[in-house]
Amino acid sequence: MSEKMKNLAVRALSGAVLAVVTVGAILLSKWTYGALLLAILAGGMYETYRLAACNGARPQYGMGLAAGVALFAVNFFAGTGLLETTDLPRLLTLYFLVMLPAVFICELFRRLERPETNVGATLMGVGYVALPLSLMCYIPAVGGVWQPWTMIAFVFIIWANDVCAYLIGMTLGRHPLCERISPKKTWEGFLGGLAGAVGTGLAAARFLDADPWHWAGLALVAAVAGVLGDLVESMFKRSAGVKDSGGAIPGHGGVLDRFDALLLAAPFVFVYMVLVRMI
């Protein structure tokens, strides 16, 4: 077997295992879903800080992770109904008054150069990784009822966008989408990905017996934001001078390489679902 075919086999196998673990964790229970998101949070924040370190920053790994986990915990308990939503504003206010200023105080005692860069890199990990994952706690809570298939549909929309964009771009792609950041992405692939995502959204609406217009809009929002998420992560990697964000997933790279689209899409999808009163 050639090296190329061996790499392809490893990529396919690890991708299949990742898909099974992801779908299984979402469907099994609220707790396995939370554990999945928490694992992505830990891996994603570590890789974000690793990329920042490649550019000379010295982020606070421990403090940043603590701030990210605290933000996630508040929203997980609120989103899954284990915490009264009336307590959420008070807890979030307490979080911002305590956790984030603590990052500045910790930097004071580290006595490192470029403290503003270090603090900025630390907070970026919270905003780039922990915040989107915290908002994902609300996506399966449609109408206040735990509906894991809603999250499955969101994940499938992101996957359909990726697969269709890759296939269409590989066969018909001629016009670069963002050559400076990702030379292989094309406008043809982008449009193909949108079509695949919207088609998956309509299929999800039929499966869930939901409003097809709502789901077509959600798919469109998720697909556009997902592509931008992929470009944002590529921008960070290019700036750091690395090919992959990490090596946690054989054949795929790091956690950010696999979940970059989902991370940037989640806040936009959350806002969309609030606006159309899906949650």
Side-chain angles (χ1 to χ4, degrees):
M1 182 183 291
S2 67
E3 190 66 26
K4 184 176 181 180
M5 290 301 295
K6 187 182 297 184
N7 291 337
L8 184 61
V10 170
R11 182 180 176 87
L13 180 60
S14 63
V17 171
L18 180 63
V20 170
V21 170
T22 300
V23 173
I26 295 171
L27 291 177
L28 190 57
S29 72
K30 298 176 182 179
W31 296 105
T32 54
Y33 177 59
L36 172 69
L37 295 185
L38 199 57
I40 297 172
L41 183 149
M45 290 192 71
Y46 173 79
E47 290 177 4
T48 299
Y49 292 152
R50 176 177 170 271
L51 293 176
C54 290
N55 277 322
R58 298 284 299 277
Q60 303 171 29
Y61 284 82
M63 193 61 206
L65 182 60
V69 170
L71 180 63
F72 174 79
V74 170
N75 287 280
F76 174 74
F77 287 117
T80 55
L82 300 171
L83 173 73
E84 290 293 333
T85 53
T86 53
D87 294 331
L88 185 59
R90 179 171 56 86
L91 289 174
L92 287 177
T93 300
L94 185 64
Y95 169 83
F96 283 107
L97 288 176
V98 175
M99 292 301 298
L100 297 187
V103 173
F104 292 86
I105 296 171
C106 287
E107 190 62 32
L108 179 67
F109 292 97
R110 296 176 81 202
R111 300 179 182 179
L112 298 174
E113 296 181 357
R114 302 170 64 192
E116 67 285 348
T117 301
N118 301 335
V119 169
T122 303
L123 297 180
M124 184 186 76
V126 178
Y128 179 51
V129 180
L131 177 60
L133 290 168
S134 299
L135 295 177
M136 284 186 212
C137 296
Y138 299 96
I139 291 176
V142 179
V145 179
W146 183 253
Q147 299 183 31
W149 282 105
T150 302
M151 186 63 197
I152 295 290
F154 174 38
V155 171
F156 279 8
I157 286 169
I158 294 294
W159 287 349
N161 180 49
D162 286 345
V163 171
C164 291
Y166 173 76
L167 294 176
I168 298 299
M170 183 175 61
T171 55
L172 303 176
R174 297 292 183 273
H175 302 87
L177 175 65
C178 188
E179 193 170 10
R180 179 177 64 88
I181 301 297
S182 185
K184 293 183 179 180
K185 289 191 180 300
T186 64
W187 280 103
E188 291 83 358
F190 172 70
L191 295 175
L194 290 187
V198 171
T200 304
L202 292 173
R206 184 175 181 83
F207 177 78
L208 298 169
D209 193 25
D211 189 327
W213 289 104
H214 284 175
W215 275 93
L218 185 150
L220 194 62
V221 169
V224 173
V227 171
L228 293 173
D230 186 64
L231 290 173
V232 166
E233 198 240 354
S234 295
M235 174 180 67
F236 289 151
K237 290 191 296 184
R238 183 175 288 269
S239 176
V242 298
K243 181 178 181 293
D244 297 320
S245 63
I249 307 173
H252 292 266
V255 172
L256 293 180
D257 293 318
R258 279 296 82 205
F259 295 99
D260 52 358
L262 203 64
L263 288 176
L264 202 69
F268 291 96
V269 168
F270 172 79
V271 171
Y272 172 85
M273 294 180 76
V274 169
L275 292 176
V276 301
R277 299 184 179 180
M278 292 176 69
I279 54 177

